[in-house]
Amino acid sequence: MIKDIKKRGQEEIVGFVVIVVIVSVILLVLLSFLIRNPSEEIVNNYEVESFIQSALQYTSECEDSTEFLAVQDLIIACSEKTICLDDKDSCNVLNETIKGLITKAWNVGEGSAVRGYKFSVSEDEVGTLLIKEGNETSNYKGAVQPFARRGKEYEVFLNIYE
Amino acid sequence: MVARTPNRFNSKKGQLKIQQMAFMLIAIFLLFILAGMFFLSINLYNVRKTAVNLEEQNSMLLVSKLANSPEFSCGNSFGTSRLNCIDFDKLIVLEDKKEEYAELWGVAKIEIRKIFPRDDTICSYENYPDCGVIKIVDKKVNTLPASSNFVSLCRKEANERMIYDKCELALLMISSEDKT
């Protein structure tokens, strides 16, 4: 009789302890996930936005009769198939300039946190230029910068893939 | 001998009950502590997330505010008014008077670094504009990680034919003093 009661009591305690241990382990696992520092963003949307704004102001190597063209003017020159003063194709200069700007600013490539990028320009909602490099992932930051010139509306898009 | 049996039985049963109760109390206490820590960490996580967002917003605002402040901005010197455009000519003058402006912006470090084309030469009157790093505020204190944003670094340039606007890509970096 005593043995039976003792055994039953022990079983109850063991059962209870097991439940407490399981619940504790689950809570501890969840706790460790929550206590971890929130991961710092590698790229922020505002950085991409300010990058586009600054890149559009960059003075390129393409010169017309009055000045060296900024990237924004070079986009228009490229869509109008203009040739620079030194006989270079404006679209080639635009391509090289954009690639150089993005590569230096974001350090795109193997071993870098930035896996790739996609830069595109649309004129009156029709895509006119697309430059991309690296891998496109689902985790990306992007921005768009619209501007208008000579009755046409341009939009510059940039996605940076992490 | 016969009379002692119920007492022993009762005593053993009582001990078992006390042991059971002690285990129960310890387990419940542990459970409550863990549950409390769990909810506390949820709150802490949310507070930390909000702090990170606020810090990011603050840095972004500060960098934008600085880039567009009269001491830095291009104004109308390069045609129309531009956003995130810094006048390199103004910076070199500011660099020369950095002691006078050290307290104006309330930060420990302000640095502008040219990234395209990349140039790591520290700027001075002697090598301007063939340089790429300019330090406007540089207090010798412990600082928090720098906040940065892209800016356009513009100046007037001349060749044999004309004077033109030359804008390059740069990074404006700001660090606050670490007071912890």
Side-chain angles (χ1 to χ4, degrees):
Chain A
M1 177 79 171
I2 299 169
K3 241 182 169 178
D4 263 7
I5 291 170
K6 201 176 170 183
K7 211 178 172 187
R8 213 171 60 202
Q10 275 175 343
E11 274 172 6
E12 275 177 18
I13 291 167
V14 168
F16 186 69
V17 167
V18 166
I19 289 167
V20 168
V21 167
I22 290 169
V23 172
S24 306
V25 167
I26 292 168
L27 279 176
L28 276 172
V29 168
L30 289 173
L31 206 68
S32 65
F33 272 111
L34 287 170
I35 280 179
R36 273 191 318 178
N37 284 332
S39 56
E40 273 187 30
E41 302 264 348
I42 299 157
V43 180
N44 294 302
N45 279 321
Y46 76 86
E47 283 180 305
V48 183
E49 201 177 317
S50 66
F51 173 81
I52 299 181
Q53 283 170 1
S54 307
L56 288 178
Q57 294 173 40
Y58 181 82
T59 309
S60 73
E61 310 258 295
C62 182
E63 190 183 358
D64 68 4
S65 52
T66 55
E67 59 177 352
F68 283 92
L69 298 178
V71 168
Q72 186 170 319
D73 300 320
L74 198 58
I75 288 171
I76 297 158
C78 175
S79 73
E80 291 171 353
K81 310 268 183 277
T82 311
I83 301 292
C84 307
L85 213 60
D86 57 357
D87 292 332
K88 276 186 185 167
D89 179 29
S90 56
C91 292
N92 286 345
V93 179
L94 179 63
N95 263 304
E96 282 166 25
T97 312
I98 294 294
K99 277 181 186 168
L101 282 165
I102 297 176
T103 311
K104 288 285 176 189
W106 301 105
N107 191 23
V108 185
E110 288 294 315
S112 166
V114 176
R115 302 275 180 85
Y117 67 85
K118 187 165 90 179
F119 178 91
S120 59
V121 178
S122 73
E123 183 187 323
D124 290 332
E125 294 180 1
V126 178
T128 54
L129 177 74
L130 176 67
I131 303 170
K132 57 181 184 177
E133 203 184 303
N135 302 323
E136 284 181 36
T137 61
S138 56
N139 183 19
Y140 69 92
K141 297 283 160 27
V144 56
Q145 181 68 39
F147 65 92
R149 193 70 64 87
R150 295 173 200 156
K152 285 180 179 171
E153 282 183 9
Y154 296 88
E155 279 182 315
V156 179
F157 301 88
L158 176 64
N159 287 346
I160 300 289
Y161 300 97
E162 294 172 65
Chain B
M1 191 79 177
V2 178
R4 278 180 72 186
T5 313
N7 267 350
R8 236 172 119 182
F9 172 72
N10 281 343
S11 155
K12 283 237 172 184
K13 201 178 166 189
Q15 272 181 349
L16 203 69
K17 287 265 177 201
I18 289 168
Q19 218 175 30
Q20 217 174 347
M21 178 67 84
F23 268 118
M24 275 278 281
L25 283 174
I26 291 168
I28 287 171
F29 181 69
L30 277 174
L31 205 69
F32 273 111
I33 283 185
L34 272 171
M37 275 172 75
F38 183 70
F39 287 109
L40 201 73
S41 64
I42 289 175
N43 281 341
L44 210 70
Y45 175 77
N46 288 335
V47 167
R48 207 176 278 163
K49 214 169 154 186
T50 314
V52 168
N53 283 343
L54 279 173
E55 199 181 317
E56 193 185 273
Q57 262 182 359
N58 198 29
S59 308
M60 187 190 74
L61 285 174
L62 189 61
V63 172
S64 296
K65 195 178 92 180
L66 267 185
N68 298 306
S69 70
E71 290 83 4
F72 286 79
S73 77
C74 296
N76 292 322
S77 308
F78 303 92
T80 51
S81 169
R82 298 168 179 210
L83 261 181
N84 291 336
C85 175
I86 289 181
D87 192 332
F88 206 177
D89 297 331
K90 280 183 184 175
L91 287 191
I92 199 69
V93 179
L94 265 180
E95 199 270 340
D96 195 45
K97 296 183 187 298
K98 63 174 151 190
E99 278 77 31
E100 293 168 43
Y101 284 86
E103 301 302 322
L104 182 66
W105 293 286
V107 289
K109 276 186 181 151
I110 299 177
E111 186 179 312
I112 293 103
R113 191 173 278 270
K114 211 189 273 183
I115 50 170
F116 189 72
R118 176 103 192 217
D119 191 340
D120 291 330
T121 321
I122 306 281
C123 292
S124 64
Y125 263 124
E126 288 73 40
N127 63 9
Y128 179 78
D130 302 317
C131 59
V133 181
I134 190 157
K135 291 177 181 182
I136 304 299
V137 178
D138 191 13
K139 292 183 192 168
K140 304 289 176 218
V141 290
N142 284 337
T143 56
L144 293 169
S147 311
S148 62
N149 210 353
F150 293 102
V151 289
S152 179
L153 191 61
C154 297
R155 66 175 193 272
K156 293 283 178 191
E157 184 82 36
N159 62 13
E160 53 283 350
R161 288 199 307 110
M162 60 183 172
I163 296 170
Y164 62 95
D165 301 334
K166 173 95 179 157
C167 293
E168 290 158 319
L169 187 70
L171 209 54
L172 171 61
M173 293 183 281
I174 295 170
S175 306
S176 302
E177 189 180 345
D178 188 357
K179 289 172 182 165
T180 54

